[in-house]
Amino acid sequence: MKAVERIAQHYLLKQLPKATALVAMDGIVSDASDSWLNIFGIAPKDSTGVNIFSLYGESDALREKLMESRAFSLRHSIGKEMDKRWLESTFAPWYDEKENIIGTIIQTDDISREVDKERELEKANHILKTKSEVAQVGCWEYTIATEELFWCDETKKIHNVALSYDPNVTDAIAFYKQGYSRNKISMLIHSAIHEGAPFNKKLIILTQTGEEKWVSVAGRPISENGKIVKLFGTIQDINEQVANETKIKQHQQLLTALIDNLPLNVFVKDLDSKKILVNKAECDYLGKSAKDLIGKTDFDLYDKEVAKISREEDLEVIRTLKPMLGKETISIKKDGHITYFLTSKIPLFDLEGKISGLIGIGMDITAMKKKEDQLRNLINITSVQNKKLINFAHIVSHNLRSHSANFSMLLKFLSEEKDEAEKAHIMTMLNQASDSLLETLENLNQVVDINTNVTLSKQPLNLNESIANVRQNLSAFLEKNKVKIINNIPLDMVVWSVPAYLDSIILNLVTNAVKYSSPERNPIITMDAKKREKTLIFSVSDNGMGIDLERYGDKIFGMYKTFHNRKDAKGIGLYIIKNQIEAMGGSITVNSEVDKGATFNVYFNEESK
């Protein structure tokens, strides 16, 4: 090759803004602009003899490229890691006036900024791609004018197609499951293009491998100069999420069905005792829908005192974090309806283990309580009846034994007596003993009838009419004894009673008052009656001899118990009416002072009519 003469530094080359160098065939710099020398940190006085192979490195590869005598570009760096700069140099053949290659023209640009931006962009793209893969969110872009559709790699993965797959709109829509999903995506894209309506919808696709998959597809139009030119959107694989949501819904439905069909009132309250969940039984009991109960407190639904007790229970459970189990509570609604519950309240914790409210469970035991009361009453009645039976057995045993002993003795006297007149006297006594026995048996039969006759039913009777009937039947008896009756009972007073029993009660109380009247004054009988809840109290007062209750109080209603020396006193009347009153579910009491009279109070039970 012809030797190249040393060319003096051209003034023009020196001032070129573009970093340029002229290099001889041996790689020695012949001339260079100040900007090129500045890039490599070479002073103009030191530029002579600079070898480019020491600047660009990779000398063998660079020599081979230069030998090809063709233009090429090279990206390279200079400096250490912390101060590294990136350069891009263009190498082109340098010709003389005879078109002979005499060297190389190098133009170098500092592209450090561009490299940094490329790296930042590459990093951002990598982060975006990683996020897309992790979140299973792909992107797509549709250019309306060219009908070009772009899918990112993640979008292709969601559709189970190869990364080289080239999509189009028709094929993309065809991936959606035929029916609702395909029709819906077509409508959404049409609306986005023509109406500018963004969309976000959960739909089903069938991937290229035939897998059915739930996706969340979203899109929004991009406008230029007021015209929609593109659609940009995302697509996310939510198949696992939908499957989990479906399972949760199924579990919720199962739990709701279970709770709603429990024969228990179930509710959940927050820390302010406001209901945040109620089951069907709770709604039915309160006669309201779940929507009407949510947000309500017990003060909105129950009696104030009951609500106050309930709130105190709630606060205790929340404060101590200990459940209240199986406590018997009374519920009184606003309308006054009373229900007995067996209530449990259990603390409710959030996901962080903090108390967030409580769960309440109530079992209606009202029917059970009524059964308990009925059983208790039955036991009491059975106990009373048992005592009566024992007492009655003693009476029967004593009375019949007395009569039989009397008969036995009189018959013995009769068999041994020789005197006819005495025999006649004994026969008279036998007849009297027989009459007495018959009377005793009649009394006993009457008591048995009262306690065993369960077919008699109570009826509503006008109390004054019954009193009037008794007075008419006893008119001669009352007139003979100069009896004055003061009746303070309202004319329309009605009592529920067995008719025969009511007549017997009035009759016995009136005749007793007359029998035991004081010899020092005419008898006065006062009658009163008043209603109290489900009881009617019928009172009969007299001004007679009275009874020493301290002495005879526990015997006054006993059979054949008498407390005055009267020949016609048999002690059976009060015993019989007591049995009649108790047979109707009532009771009788007496208040008395000696020589001041007595007051008998009859309590008619009107609850069990």
Side-chain angles (χ1 to χ4, degrees), residues 63 166 199 286 297 315 383 402 430 489 517 535 542 544 561:
R63 286 177 191 279
D166 187 16
F199 60 88
L286 292 168
T297 68
L315 291 173
S383 177
S402 299
L430 280 170
I489 299 171
S517 61
T535 302
D542 62 58
K561 301 296 183 181

Side-chain angles (χ1 to χ4, degrees), residues 2 78 84 117-118 129 134 139 161 163 196 238 290 303 334 341 353 378 388 397 490 525 554 558 571 602:
K2 181 180 178 181
I78 59 174
K84 184 182 289 186
K117 287 180 180 179
E118 285 177 3
K129 184 178 180 181
V134 171
C139 63
V161 296
L163 296 180
I238 58 169
D303 175 79
K334 293 285 188 180
F341 280 100
L378 182 59
K388 285 184 179 180
S397 173
I525 301 173
D554 58 339
V602 180

Side-chain angles (χ1 to χ4, degrees), residues 92-126:
W94 176 20
Y95 297 95
D96 61 10
E97 65 276 5
K98 296 181 179 180
E99 298 295 328
N100 294 318
I101 296 175
I102 59 175
T104 303
I105 300 174
I106 303 175
Q107 290 186 315
T108 301
D109 292 311
D110 188 337
I111 60 169
S112 297
R113 271 189 169 184
E114 286 80 354
V115 170
D116 289 341
K117 287 180 180 179
E118 285 177 3
R119 287 184 172 180
E120 287 177 5
L121 181 61
E122 184 181 350
K123 182 179 179 181
N125 286 336
H126 178 72

Side-chain angles (χ1 to χ4, degrees), residues 45-217:
K45 61 183 180 64
D46 299 327
S47 62
T48 304
V50 174
N51 191 322
I52 63 169
F53 298 115
S54 63
L55 298 177
Y56 288 90
E58 301 180 2
S59 56
D60 292 338
L62 183 58
R63 286 177 191 279
E64 290 179 5
K65 294 290 286 182
L66 292 173
M67 291 295 291
E68 293 176 0
S69 300
R70 289 187 300 179
F72 65 92
S73 295
L74 176 68
R75 179 175 287 193
H76 56 100
S77 62
I78 59 174
K80 295 183 179 180
E81 191 64 34
M82 295 299 293
D83 299 320
K84 184 182 289 186
R85 288 189 299 161
W86 283 92
L87 308 174
E88 186 171 36
S89 298
T90 302
F91 296 81
W94 176 20
Y95 297 95
D96 61 10
E97 65 276 5
K98 296 181 179 180
E99 298 295 328
N100 294 318
I101 296 175
I102 59 175
T104 303
I105 300 174
I106 303 175
Q107 290 186 315
T108 301
D109 292 311
D110 188 337
I111 60 169
S112 297
R113 271 189 169 184
E114 286 80 354
V115 170
D116 289 341
K117 287 180 180 179
E118 285 177 3
R119 287 184 172 180
E120 287 177 5
L121 181 61
E122 184 181 350
K123 182 179 179 181
N125 286 336
H126 178 72
I127 292 172
L128 183 61
K129 184 178 180 181
T130 303
K131 285 183 176 180
S132 177
E133 290 175 352
V134 171
Q136 294 182 305
V137 178
C139 63
W140 56 270
E141 187 175 23
Y142 175 61
T143 304
I144 297 173
T146 60
E147 295 187 352
E148 289 180 323
L149 178 64
F150 166 76
W151 279 2
C152 73
D153 290 350
E154 187 60 28
T155 301
K156 293 176 181 179
K157 288 179 183 178
I158 291 172
H159 288 79
N160 287 346
V161 296
L163 296 180
S164 60
Y165 179 76
D166 187 16
N168 60 63
V169 175
T170 304
D171 291 343
I173 292 175
F175 273 102
Y176 288 83
K177 187 176 180 180
Q178 190 171 6
Y180 173 80
S181 292
R182 189 176 298 178
N183 294 338
K184 191 67 179 178
I185 191 64
S186 300
M187 292 170 58
L188 292 172
I189 291 175
H190 183 272
S191 297
I193 292 173
H194 296 284
E195 299 173 15
F199 60 88
N200 191 334
K201 198 71 178 175
K202 292 180 181 180
L203 300 171
I204 301 173
I205 64 169
L206 290 173
T207 68
Q208 195 170 50
T209 57
E211 178 188 358
E212 192 171 288
K213 186 182 293 185
W214 278 93
V215 295
S216 176
V217 59

Side-chain angles (χ1 to χ4, degrees), residues 557-570:
F557 294 106
M559 194 173 187
Y560 300 127
K561 301 296 183 181
T562 59
F563 314 104
H564 299 286
N565 297 321
R566 288 186 61 95
K567 293 181 180 180
D568 57 350
K570 297 181 180 179

Side-chain angles (χ1 to χ4, degrees), residues 297-312 330-337:
T297 68
D298 290 337
F299 287 96
D300 301 317
L301 304 168
Y302 299 102
D303 175 79
K304 183 178 179 180
E305 290 302 318
V306 171
K308 184 178 178 182
I309 293 171
S310 179
R311 174 59 175 163
E312 289 173 354
I330 299 176
S331 170
I332 305 177
K333 292 194 284 188
K334 293 285 188 180
D335 60 3
H337 179 74

